[in-house]
């Protein structure tokens, strides 16, 4: 069985697991921390998530690459659209969602590793928040086109949107990030159809 090195705080690890669930692929999950010896063994950059194939002894890092590998190795997978037009649209959802998560992670790392004597320029933090706000506003315009019909069947880009919104919402109070009400409503409707999404972001459904 394919092995996934991640932890329950990683939004990108959640994305991989949600995509795997959409195509009914089971992964053997190992909880670990980034930059740990167990991660460096499989990824020289120390980042998670990392997918490891014990049969081939090969490893793969980066959620986007992992999702594509799962798609190509699974018969009948609909994670990646086949037509150029649908692929472009889904890739845009994926790209903007990744940008939102990246910007929030920069704020998280700044908060975690900051030293009072070496605080970053406030303009830098505001720039990250602006990217998140603009990205969420753009996603708000896109979500009416995302069909939520069943537990399975979401594309990689649609899963990425759910993770980005859920992650931004969990960090909204800490970093004063406005989550558009329409996007909150969409996330709740999406999560109601996706039990694993509910499990990853349980507190949001009660708000």
């Amino acid at each position: 069985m394919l092995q996934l090195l991640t932890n329950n705080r990683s939004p990108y690890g959640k994305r991989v697991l949600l995509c795997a669930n959409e195509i009914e692929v089971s992964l053997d999950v190992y909880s670990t921390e980034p930059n740990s010896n167990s991660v460096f063994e499989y990824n020289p950059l120390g980042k998670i998530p990392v997918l490891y194939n014990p049969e081939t002894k090969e490893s793969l890092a980066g959620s986007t690459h992992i999702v594509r590998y799962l798609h190509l190795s699974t018969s009948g997978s609909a994670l990646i659209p086949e037509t150029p037009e649908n692929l472009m649209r889904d890739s845009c959802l994926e790209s903007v969602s990744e940008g939102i998560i990246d910007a929030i992670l920069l704020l998280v790392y700044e908060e975690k590793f900051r030293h009072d004597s070496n605080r970053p320029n406030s303009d830098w933090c505001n720039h990250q928040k602006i990217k998140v706000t603009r990205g969420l506003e753009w996603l708000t315009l896109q979500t009416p086109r995302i069909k939520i019909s069943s537990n399975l069947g979401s594309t990689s880009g649609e899963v990425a949107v759910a993770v980005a919104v859920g992650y931004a919402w969990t960090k909204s109070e800490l970093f004063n990030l406005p989550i558009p009400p329409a996007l909150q409503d969409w996330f709740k409707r999406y999560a109601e159809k996706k039990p694993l999404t509910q499990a990853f972001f349980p507190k949001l459904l009660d708000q």
Side-chain angles (χ1 to χ4, degrees):
M1 181 182 294
L2 293 170
Q3 300 172 359
L4 185 71
L5 282 69
T6 185
N7 63 45
N8 59 12
R9 299 186 309 279
S10 169
Y12 286 123
K14 288 182 171 68
R15 180 187 168 202
V16 170
L17 289 170
L18 287 171
C19 282
N21 183 68
E22 290 294 325
I23 56 176
E24 300 181 287
V25 169
S26 297
L27 300 175
D28 197 1
V29 181
Y30 290 84
S31 181
T32 187
E33 296 297 320
N35 298 316
S36 63
N37 290 335
S38 60
V39 176
F40 280 126
E41 183 178 351
Y42 301 102
N43 179 12
L45 300 181
K47 294 182 177 182
I48 56 174
V50 179
L51 187 73
Y52 177 68
N53 187 332
E55 294 184 2
T56 64
K57 310 300 182 183
E58 297 287 344
S59 58
L60 180 63
S63 61
T64 297
H65 304 297
I66 293 173
V67 168
R68 276 153 177 70
Y69 175 85
L70 295 177
H71 169 74
L72 291 173
S73 60
T74 304
S75 176
S77 170
L79 282 177
I80 310 299
E82 295 182 355
T83 66
E85 294 79 9
N86 289 339
L87 179 60
M88 175 177 284
R89 174 180 172 273
D90 203 66
S91 296
C92 283
L93 293 176
E94 192 174 54
S95 178
V96 172
S97 298
E98 287 178 348
I100 291 170
I101 294 173
D102 286 345
I104 297 173
L105 282 172
L106 287 174
L107 293 171
V108 170
Y109 292 144
E110 188 279 325
E111 182 79 16
K112 180 177 180 179
F113 297 110
R114 174 175 56 201
H115 299 287
D116 290 338
S117 60
N118 188 29
R119 293 178 63 89
N121 189 299
S122 60
D123 290 341
W124 182 87
C125 291
N126 288 334
H127 179 61
Q128 307 309 320
K129 294 179 182 180
I130 289 172
K131 287 196 290 187
V132 173
T133 300
R134 288 178 176 173
L136 292 174
E137 290 174 349
W138 185 85
L139 289 182
T140 302
L141 299 176
Q142 312 307 313
T143 48
R145 301 172 58 189
I146 299 177
K147 296 180 180 179
I148 312 171
S149 57
S150 66
N151 178 37
L152 304 177
S154 291
T155 64
S156 175
E158 292 166 352
V159 170
V161 172
V163 174
V165 176
Y167 189 60
W169 201 350
T170 60
K171 301 297 182 182
S172 60
E173 185 174 348
L174 178 61
F175 297 118
N176 192 27
L177 302 172
I179 312 299
L183 205 53
Q184 296 180 28
D185 292 341
W186 175 86
F187 178 85
K188 289 182 177 180
R189 286 187 284 108
Y190 183 91
E192 285 174 356
K193 298 277 188 167
K194 309 286 183 175
L196 190 56
T197 303
Q198 294 182 41
F200 285 157
F201 302 101
K203 296 181 180 179
L204 301 182
L205 303 183
D206 298 326
Q207 296 187 30

